Each structure stands twice: as structure tokens, then as C-alpha cells.
Amino acid sequence: GVTPALLLQGSVRSGDPADGRRLGRAAVVGFDAAGAARFGLPADLDWAGDAGRVVLSHRAADALGAKPGDTIE
């Protein structure tokens, strides 16, 4: 089957303004809860809720110094 997705090039940064860590030219992928399940993303998150959800690769998380629960912009 086909899963609708939105694929953009963007940037991400740590939500801590004092930190200033940023990644440019990041692949930003957006899809609904069904897409999250199809790609094997954590099922325990409320993908359909109002709050945005972010899943980072290990390389992106390391570069940003991010850990679960951190704010990412």
C-alpha cells in the first residue's frame, strides 16, 4: 500500500536557546499515525494528538545533545 507523507528539507535545533545547537539541511518527514506504525515508530506515542512529535536519528540526537523528553524546534 501507499502511505501519504510529506518530505521537506529543513533545519532542527535544540529547544534550549542557551545551547544553540542546530542542524541544517535535515530531512523532515511528516505523516499520520498510520504512517508512524508502518515505519515502525514508537506505538506508545499519541501520534494523532495536538502536540507535535519528533523522532530523531541517533546521529541527529548526538549532534544536538538531545535525549528523550527534550524540546526540539
Side-chain angles (χ1 to χ4, degrees), residues 20-57:
R21 294 186 194 193
R22 179 182 179 277
L23 293 175
R25 299 183 58 175
V28 179
V29 182
F31 38 72
D32 62 11
R38 185 173 188 133
F39 287 99
L41 296 175
D44 59 339
L45 294 176
D46 178 15
W47 293 101
D50 291 334
R53 302 289 180 221
V54 174
V55 176
L56 297 172
S57 69

